[in-house]
Amino acid sequence: MLDFKFISPTQFVFGRNAEEALVSESSKLGGKILLHYGGGSIKKSGLYDRVKSYLAEAGADFVELGGVKPNPSLFMVRQAIDLCRTEGVTGILAVGGGSVIDSAKAIAIGVPFQGDVWDFYTGKADAQEALPVGIILTIPAAGSEGSNGSVITDEETRSKFAYGSDIIRPVFSLMNPELTYTLSAYQTGCGVVDMISHVMERYFTNTENVDLTDRLGEAVMRSVIDIAPRVFANPEDYEARAELMWASTIAHTDIVGLGRNDNWASHQIEHELSAQYDVAHGAGLSVVFPAWMTHVRKENLPRFVQFATRVWNIDYIAGREDEVALEGIRRHKAFYESIGMPTSLSALGVTDNRYDIMAEKAMRDGPFGEIKALNKEDVVAIYTLAES
Ligand code: NZQ
Ligand code: ZN
């Protein structure tokens, strides 16, 4: 096990009516709040009106900016930073999913910073200060409600970059599983893939003697695989929605990744897809992850055999380890298909070949990934494997 430091300062309030805790929690955002939200789902569900009434009850002063799109844009982040400076905003309330939360986190570090907020995402600056960010979560997927990450897209250059710092972990996250009843089957599926992927990016490591975190990760993956079908059968199954919502957080606070080198290769390859084609992150991962596994499995076959036997309950057969590993990948892919997710670029609607451009962009900091450090040829090979 490697040495590590870990902090998760977020106050999680979980359960029916959790969003009502905004009345007491909103003071953590200071005297003037930016209410930040997406494209309209919260207005349709009535949550928007309730949030405004909780803020009124708390006596909180606020301005609002809605319209955050999936794969949130740098353009809107910059616009919001200007608004916050003009209005003297002291904290941000994000009501939505990963896109709204990541936009809020970017604004939070951009407002007190003298330079351009994009410098954080291109590795030119590290945030020293941030406005506090509070969350009302409406989709379990990205895990941004408990993570130290934010992912923003510069639409002009088609670049989707991540920034990570403990300074942007939310001060509170209010999580009511009932708020997720209105999710479409597709968005629910995207969330399922993303949360499993967050465990897998940590699980596929070359670090040895990490048994506890391996088994924590396996528990999260198994639970999600067992429970997800219930949500598709009955979108208002409270207990199943609750399990998925908490799984999304546990998968990405980093608790299942401590003491090991993590991977993130599939995420990097997916982010290039999202940047080029504006596909949903979870749908992109559903295509990329099985292809990545197939491509790199022989670099650490025991890991892939462990995944197959412990997560997919496949029998170990001495001398036929590669078959066991491939069967694990096949079952994993079949699971994604069973919940309506695409597992090929063609099913994702990507039919033109921009593999070279995407691979080139993915290589911007050199070879990446833990099981195997991928070079440009590997990345092109993975996109090619994912074709059909
Ligand atoms: O915009 P609205 O109208 O709210 O609709 C959203 C959006 O269209 C809809 N939605 C959300 N809650 C709903 C709902 N529709 C009905 N009922 C509800 N209760 O769902 C759509 C997708 O929302 P989005 O926030 O984009 O989804 P998600 O949470 O999957 O976030 C994806 C973003 O997070 C990034 C991804 O790259 C992507 O940009 N990630 C962030 C991470 C982090 N910060 O730690 C880690 C992840 O790996 C990921 O990269
Ligand atoms: Zn993700």
Side-chain angles (χ1 to χ4, degrees):
M1 195 191 296
L2 307 177
D3 299 346
F4 64 84
K5 283 186 186 170
F6 177 60
I7 183 167
S8 177
T10 309
Q11 166 87 51
F12 295 102
V13 180
F14 192 97
R16 290 187 171 92
N17 305 321
E19 66 275 22
E20 288 176 7
L22 183 60
V23 178
S24 53
E25 294 291 320
S26 62
S27 61
K28 291 182 180 163
L29 303 179
K32 183 94 181 243
I33 296 169
L34 174 70
L35 168 58
H36 203 38
Y37 54 91
S41 72
I42 69 161
K43 289 195 172 161
K44 228 195 241 172
S45 67
L47 178 61
Y48 171 78
D49 289 332
R50 294 211 307 285
V51 166
K52 290 219 297 194
S53 75
Y54 302 142
L55 290 173
E57 195 179 332
D61 190 11
F62 70 95
V63 287
E64 61 179 274
L65 183 64
V68 178
K69 291 190 296 147
N71 301 320
S73 79
L74 177 61
F75 179 79
M76 178 175 261
V77 167
R78 287 187 175 133
Q79 186 190 356
I81 291 169
D82 286 345
L83 174 73
C84 288
R85 286 181 180 151
T86 311
E87 294 284 341
V89 163
T90 52
I92 302 158
L93 175 65
V95 185
S99 296
V100 177
I101 300 169
D102 287 2
S103 181
K105 287 173 169 177
I107 299 162
I109 48 177
V111 171
F113 183 54
Q114 299 297 317
D116 178 14
V117 65
W118 194 235
D119 287 354
F120 297 125
Y121 294 80
T122 52
K124 291 189 193 135
D126 200 20
Q128 304 300 320
E129 274 183 273
L131 302 186
V133 175
I135 313 291
I136 298 178
L137 185 67
T138 64
I139 170 171
S144 193
E145 67 277 6
S147 82
N148 68 355
S150 160
V151 188
I152 298 295
T153 298
D154 179 357
E155 285 162 320
E156 270 178 33
T157 60
R158 290 196 169 148
S159 304
K160 182 173 182 176
F161 293 168
Y163 176 66
S165 165
D166 285 330
I167 210 169
I168 54 174
R169 287 187 189 259
V171 290
F172 63 82
S173 284
L174 314 182
M175 301 169 60
N176 176 359
E178 290 174 328
L179 297 180
T180 68
Y181 289 174
T182 50
L183 283 168
S184 66
Y186 185 69
Q187 286 301 343
T188 302
C190 287
V192 165
V193 174
D194 197 18
M195 63 184 90
I196 291 178
S197 301
H198 293 159
V199 178
M200 289 169 73
E201 295 284 22
R202 295 166 165 106
Y203 189 82
F204 288 108
T205 181
N206 292 326
T207 310
E208 293 182 342
N209 301 311
V210 284
D211 194 54
L212 173 67
T213 44
D214 273 357
R215 290 184 189 275
L216 288 172
E218 287 158 6
V220 177
M221 290 189 275
R222 269 300 344 153
S223 297
V224 173
I225 290 162
D226 287 344
I227 283 159
R230 283 172 50 188
V231 167
F232 292 96
N234 175 12
E236 300 199 4
D237 180 335
Y238 177 85
E239 298 301 339
R241 286 285 192 191
E243 298 270 8
L244 285 192
M245 198 171 214
W246 191 228
S248 115
T249 309
I250 296 291
H252 204 34
T253 58
D254 214 22
I255 197 89
V256 299
L258 302 175
R260 60 173 69 205
N261 289 325
D262 45 17
N263 179 37
W264 299 105
S266 293
H267 266 68
Q268 188 146 339
I269 295 171
E270 192 294 312
H271 283 172
E272 301 309 332
L273 268 183
S274 283
Q276 285 292 326
Y277 301 98
D278 202 20
V279 297
H281 173 61
L285 284 172
S286 180
V287 171
V288 169
F289 227 121
W292 172 84
M293 293 164 91
T294 307
H295 184 74
V296 304
R297 70 186 189 281
K298 290 187 179 161
E299 303 289 327
N300 189 341
L301 203 49
R303 270 269 127 195
F304 285 87
V305 169
Q306 180 179 307
F307 175 78
T309 55
R310 291 200 199 160
V311 177
W312 287 107
N313 301 324
I314 294 161
D315 290 338
Y316 175 75
I317 311 169
R320 290 167 61 185
E321 284 79 4
D322 193 42
E323 277 174 56
V324 173
L326 281 171
E327 180 60 11
I329 297 167
R330 194 194 63 74
R331 293 233 197 133
H332 199 77
K333 216 168 150 176
F335 167 68
Y336 286 165
E337 284 162 5
S338 77
I339 59 167
M341 297 310 292
T343 56
S344 65
L345 287 173
S346 52
L348 190 62
V350 171
T351 46
D352 63 332
N353 178 330
R354 295 184 212 164
Y355 307 161
D356 258 338
I357 301 170
M358 292 191 288
E360 193 74 55
K361 287 189 138 208
M363 297 307 302
R364 63 189 170 275
D365 296 324
F368 61 93
E370 157 69 1
I371 294 288
K372 176 183 197 300
L374 303 177
N375 57 35
K376 189 178 164 192
E377 289 70 38
D378 290 311
V379 179
V380 171
I382 290 166
Y383 286 127
T384 308
L385 260 176
E387 268 172 0
S388 54

